[in-house]
Amino acid sequence: MSYDEVEIEDMEWSEELQAFTYPCPCGDLFQITKEDLRAGEEIARCPSCSLFITVVYNPEDFADKKPPPQKKPSPRPIAVA
């Protein structure tokens, strides 16, 4: 069972860890990376104890954004004179 549910907006981004973090009662930080979120993961774990939290977020905010396919120009017939 999850220790708590935390909104992603309540977490802090750590450049050093390259992860979203949230204080753990043990004194360390729960951590979850952008890659985890893109993969649909919603559990942030504490590396120092057995606690974990459920991160509430919109998966679309972390989905890989692929540019729309480029439309290729249609071939034009060459006029024969």
Side-chain angles (χ1 to χ4, degrees):
M1 178 178 224
S2 178
Y3 169 74
D4 201 359
E5 283 190 358
V6 177
E7 299 275 342
I8 191 77
E9 292 85 5
D10 295 330
M11 300 181 80
E12 290 188 28
W13 175 254
S14 168
E15 281 295 325
E16 180 182 337
L17 298 172
Q18 289 293 296
F20 287 95
T21 63
Y22 191 79
C24 180
C26 79
D28 205 343
L29 296 169
F30 294 107
Q31 303 172 21
I32 191 165
T33 65
K34 288 181 182 178
E35 290 76 24
D36 291 336
L37 296 168
R38 281 187 197 108
E41 181 62 59
E42 59 182 24
I43 301 298
R45 302 182 187 284
C46 176
S48 297
C49 71
S50 61
L51 293 178
F52 60 91
I53 58 174
T54 301
V55 179
V56 179
Y57 70 102
N58 183 349
E60 292 176 4
D61 292 343
F62 294 92
D64 288 331
K65 301 213 178 355
K66 295 180 183 175
Q70 299 236 346
K71 195 172 185 179
K72 295 182 181 177
S74 302
R76 297 183 184 194
I78 299 175
V80 180

